[in-house]
């Protein structure tokens, strides 16, 4: 079974930019994500908050995490709050295991313990 490529949609509002991610954030798609997210961070006027809507993500691997960390560094350097909205359970688990969850602001599942998270595979 082939996983869908990454789809990125940008929505801008007063002080907030939302980047909707759908599909797969991995080795093949992390560069495109980084370019689009960096453009959001570097936009004029600079948003106070960049929200990554991850509800449509089917997979995020280690390269996807590396891209997220790069965007976090760039956002933090510009004083922009980076928030992950609705990360799938597998992504939430990866963020907790790697100790990076706190970098991405409050999440929909932040109060859940690792034992409550379930991992799914296709």
């Amino acid at each position: 079974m082939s996983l869908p490529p990454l789809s990125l949609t940008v929505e801008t509002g007063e002080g907030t930019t939302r980047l909707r991610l759908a599909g797969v954030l991995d080795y093949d798609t992390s560069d495109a994500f980084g370019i689009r997210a960096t453009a959001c961070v570097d936009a004029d006027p600079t948003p106070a908050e960049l929200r990554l809507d991850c509800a449509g993500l089917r997979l995020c691997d280690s390269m996807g995490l590396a891209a997220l960390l790069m965007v976090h560094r760039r956002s933090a350097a510009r004083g922009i709050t980076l928030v992950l909205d609705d990360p799938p359970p597998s992504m939430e688990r990866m963020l907790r295991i790697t100790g990076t969850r706190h970098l991405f602001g409050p999440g929909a599942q932040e109060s859940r313990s690792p034992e409550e998270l379930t991992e799914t595979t296709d």
Side-chain angles (χ1 to χ4, degrees), residues 9 19 21 29 32 37 43-44 64 83 85 89 95 102 113 117-118:
T9 305
L19 182 55
L21 292 77
T29 62
D44 187 25
V83 179
D85 290 327
L95 293 169
H102 68 282
S113 71
L117 299 175
T118 57

Side-chain angles (χ1 to χ4, degrees), residues 27-90:
Y27 177 83
D28 293 325
T29 62
S30 59
D31 285 342
F33 163 73
I35 290 167
R36 181 67 67 93
T38 298
C40 292
V41 169
D42 293 340
D44 187 25
T46 301
E49 183 177 68
L50 175 59
R51 299 189 78 91
L52 304 179
D53 182 346
C54 301
L57 274 183
R58 304 234 328 142
L59 174 75
C60 178
D61 71 4
S62 60
M63 285 299 292
L65 176 59
L68 288 170
L69 292 171
M70 182 273 305
V71 172
H72 172 267
R73 282 191 302 274
R74 184 116 182 180
S75 299
R78 296 197 53 136
I80 299 170
T81 301
L82 180 60
V83 179
L84 295 181
D85 290 327
D86 299 318
S90 60

